[in-house]
């Protein structure tokens, strides 16, 4: 993994994410061998759980070793092996041997993040997706890669993090035998999980929509540098969401168009519904991006108008004081009246000082009245 400043939410220790890191994909150093596994130092240790079910029975086992999973691979029931954490290459080497995974599959599921995609490998179907998880208190979101390896009787999923996902409702449906999921095969389970991932974008977009709506009022009433920072952050988050969902739409389109022997025609119809959801999400993201760009324009316009009002007020004040300064400057020259009767005779007047102040006050009043008649004094209260 590189330290490129454009990778975000990529490390397993999510509580110490660098907010400046966005959008990168994993790549090898030049000359590296294909299939090389690169483990992040702070990646979470793998935890393996298994759910095995058929229409009548269901059970779950947690904290399995890779060897203990072998019992469930060739049974008639459907086995869902969920691995959370990518911090141990030895565990994944064992999983690769057990599930007969191609080295390039192991590379894709361990060296994160990968671009969402779908690939056929012998009797297995690889699906790479991006899952969105909201942060507490609506403070943004995390992006996490989820990999699917689908076979006839099992589904292997690999998540970056063992703690957070959007699959709890699927687990509940399996446990309580709700819906038709336990009547279907592993392909329907893959659909249900991928559908949950895609639907997880909607709550995040709803939060972003609320933030944009709040900014619309703030950017007009009281734009501040913090407002600009918030607009910029929203634009970056929307771009991250776009980069996460757009390739998933392409992957779903490929799966629907080309099909797979591991997915029957009936389940393929459900994937079309997933595809429709991705289109809706992309439309919402594009709409929000346009609104965010519009907010940026409104912010710059509001700041410019505010500056113009400040300059207008300062200009009015300066214009009033220009003639007053001129008069004060003339009488500050102090010519000697004894040398000539034309050398400022007003200096010897009894009421010269009051006369000068009166003239200056009259000029200021006349100018204020003139500015008022022109409408130049109608300035809104400045913050």
């Amino acid at each position: 993994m590189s330290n490129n400043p454009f990778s975000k939410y990529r490390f397993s220790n999510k509580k110490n994410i660098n907010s400046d890191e966005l959008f990168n994909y994993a790549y090898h150093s030049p000359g590296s061998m294909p299939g090389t596994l690169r483990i992040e130092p702070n990646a979470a240790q793998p935890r393996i759980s298994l759910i095995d079910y058929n229409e009548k029975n269901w059970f779950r086992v947690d904290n399995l070793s890779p060897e203990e999973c072998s019992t469930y691979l060739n049974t008639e029931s459907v086995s869902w092996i969920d691995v959370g954490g990518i911090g141990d290459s030895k565990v994944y080497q064992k999983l690769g041997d057990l599930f007969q995974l191609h080295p390039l599959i192991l590379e894709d599921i361990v060296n994160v993040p990968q671009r969402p995609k779908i690939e056929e490998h012998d009797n297995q179907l690889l699906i790479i997706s991006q899952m969105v998880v909201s942060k507490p208190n609506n403070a943004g979101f995390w992006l996490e890669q989820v990999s699917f390896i689908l076979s006839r009787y099992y589904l292997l999923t690999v998540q970056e993090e063992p703690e957070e996902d959007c699959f709890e409702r699927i687990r509940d449906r399996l446990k309580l035998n709700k819906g038709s999921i336990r009547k279907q095969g592993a392909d329907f389970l893959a659909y249900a999980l991928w559908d949950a991932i895609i639907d997880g974008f909607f709550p995040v977009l709803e939060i972003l929509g609320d933030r944009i709506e709040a900014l619309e009022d703030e950017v007009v009433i009281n734009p501040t540098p913090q407002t600009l920072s918030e607009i910029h952050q929203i634009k970056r988050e929307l771009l991250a969401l776009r980069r996460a969902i757009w390739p998933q739409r392409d992957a779903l389109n490929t799966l629907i168009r080309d099909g797979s022997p591991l997915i029957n025609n009936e389940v393929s119809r459900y994937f079309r519904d997933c595809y429709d959801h991705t289109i809706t999400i992309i439309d919402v993201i594009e709409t929000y991006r346009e609104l965010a760009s519009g907010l940026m324009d409104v912010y710059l316009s509001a700041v410019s108008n505010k500056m113009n009002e400040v300059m207008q007020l300062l200009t009015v004040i300066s214009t009033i004081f220009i003639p007053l300064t001129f008069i004060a400057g003339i009488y500050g020259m102090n010519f000697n009246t004894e040398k000539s009767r034309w050398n400022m005779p007003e200096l010897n007047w009894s009421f010269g000082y009051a006369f000068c102040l009166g003239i200056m006050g009259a000029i200021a009043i006349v100018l204020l009245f003139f500015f008022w008649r022109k409408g130049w004094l109608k300035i809104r209260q400045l913050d």
Side-chain angles (χ1 to χ4, degrees):
M1 292 274 302
S2 69
N3 292 324
N4 188 300
F6 291 100
S7 77
K8 189 175 188 183
Y9 314 133
R10 293 297 92 207
F11 303 113
S12 295
N13 186 8
K14 292 183 176 180
K15 299 188 184 300
N16 295 320
I17 291 171
N18 183 349
S19 60
D20 292 332
E21 296 176 343
L22 283 169
F23 312 132
N24 198 20
Y25 294 127
Y27 62 88
H28 287 306
S29 301
S32 298
M33 293 181 59
T36 301
L37 303 184
R38 301 176 64 86
I39 305 297
E40 289 291 340
N42 57 348
Q45 292 298 306
R47 294 205 307 238
I48 303 175
S49 64
L50 179 139
I51 295 178
D52 190 89
Y53 65 91
N54 55 31
E55 187 174 354
K56 296 182 179 179
N57 300 309
W58 173 94
F59 67 89
R60 174 173 177 171
V61 184
D62 294 320
N63 299 319
L64 291 173
S65 66
E67 293 79 8
E68 292 174 319
C69 297
S70 60
T71 308
Y72 306 95
L73 297 187
N74 297 315
T75 61
E76 291 295 326
S77 58
V78 177
S79 300
W80 173 20
I81 301 96
D82 185 33
V83 185
I86 53 174
D88 192 334
S89 60
K90 294 181 180 180
V91 170
Y92 281 94
Q93 293 290 358
K94 293 179 182 178
L95 288 172
D97 296 337
L98 175 63
F99 289 91
Q100 299 180 351
L101 301 179
H102 193 280
L104 294 179
I105 293 182
L106 279 179
E107 177 185 341
D108 286 341
I109 65 179
V110 174
N111 299 350
V112 299
Q114 300 288 330
R115 190 177 189 272
K117 62 181 179 179
I118 186 167
E119 292 181 355
E120 291 271 4
H121 288 268
D122 299 329
N123 295 322
Q124 295 172 331
L125 182 66
L126 170 66
I127 300 173
I128 302 292
S129 65
Q130 293 285 340
M131 178 169 61
V132 176
V133 180
S134 295
K135 291 183 180 180
N137 302 320
N138 299 335
F141 58 87
W142 291 302
L143 281 175
E144 177 184 350
Q145 176 172 308
V146 180
S147 306
F148 300 80
I149 297 92
L150 174 64
S151 188
R152 181 64 62 185
Y153 296 113
Y154 68 81
L155 175 67
L156 172 66
T157 58
V158 178
Q159 305 181 47
E160 290 185 58
E161 277 291 326
E163 299 177 358
E164 300 162 340
D165 61 30
C166 55
F167 299 151
E168 202 56 40
R169 290 186 177 181
I170 307 300
R171 297 185 182 98
D172 291 339
R173 286 165 58 188
L174 287 170
K175 180 179 179 180
L176 302 175
N177 197 13
K178 290 184 176 180
S180 61
I181 188 169
R182 278 174 49 176
K183 300 180 180 67
Q184 305 285 344
D187 53 350
F188 191 85
L189 176 62
Y191 149 74
L193 296 176
W194 203 357
D195 183 60
I197 288 175
I198 292 173
D199 287 346
F201 281 78
F202 287 105
V204 173
L205 288 173
E206 184 177 355
I207 294 170
L208 283 173
D210 293 339
R211 290 167 60 188
I212 291 174
E213 185 176 354
L215 281 173
E216 287 179 339
D217 294 333
E218 181 179 338
V219 79
V220 174
I221 298 173
N222 184 27
T224 64
Q226 182 62 34
T227 306
L228 178 61
S229 177
E230 179 69 13
I231 295 173
H232 183 61
Q233 180 64 26
I234 286 178
K235 292 182 68 175
R236 290 164 66 87
E237 291 179 5
L238 287 170
L239 181 57
L241 290 174
R242 185 179 186 273
R243 289 171 62 93
I245 193 62
W246 198 284
Q248 296 193 67
R249 184 202 68 166
D250 295 339
L252 279 165
N253 186 41
T254 300
L255 181 62
I256 294 168
R257 183 184 65 246
D258 300 339
S260 171
L262 296 173
I263 298 177
N264 64 47
N265 293 332
E266 184 64 27
V267 175
S268 181
R269 296 181 180 179
Y270 289 96
F271 280 105
R272 293 193 188 99
D273 184 63
C274 270
Y275 179 80
D276 292 339
H277 291 179
T278 62
I279 297 297
T280 302
I281 291 169
I282 290 172
D283 288 343
V284 174
I285 290 174
E286 293 301 322
T287 300
Y288 284 173
R289 290 184 68 195
E290 292 180 4
L291 287 174
S293 298
L295 284 178
M296 184 71 75
D297 295 338
V298 173
Y299 171 84
L300 295 176
S301 177
V303 170
S304 178
N305 289 338
K306 188 174 181 180
M307 180 61 68
N308 289 340
E309 291 178 350
V310 172
M311 294 303 299
Q312 180 179 340
L313 179 61
L314 294 178
T315 301
V316 168
I317 295 174
S318 300
T319 304
I320 292 173
F321 277 91
I322 284 175
L324 308 186
T325 305
F326 174 74
I327 295 173
I330 291 178
Y331 284 97
M333 291 187 292
N334 296 324
F335 283 97
N336 189 356
T337 57
E338 296 180 355
K339 296 295 183 180
S340 172
R341 62 188 182 88
W342 300 108
N343 286 348
M344 296 182 137
E346 300 91 350
L347 295 178
N348 294 322
W349 291 358
S350 298
F351 298 99
Y353 179 65
F355 177 78
C356 184
L357 290 180
I359 290 295
M360 296 170 69
I363 292 174
I365 292 173
V366 169
L367 289 175
L368 284 172
F369 177 76
F370 176 77
F371 295 149
W372 174 73
R373 289 296 299 271
K374 289 289 186 179
W376 295 350
L377 296 181
K378 295 179 181 179
I379 303 174
R380 69 176 178 85
Q381 184 179 359
L382 300 177
D383 301 314

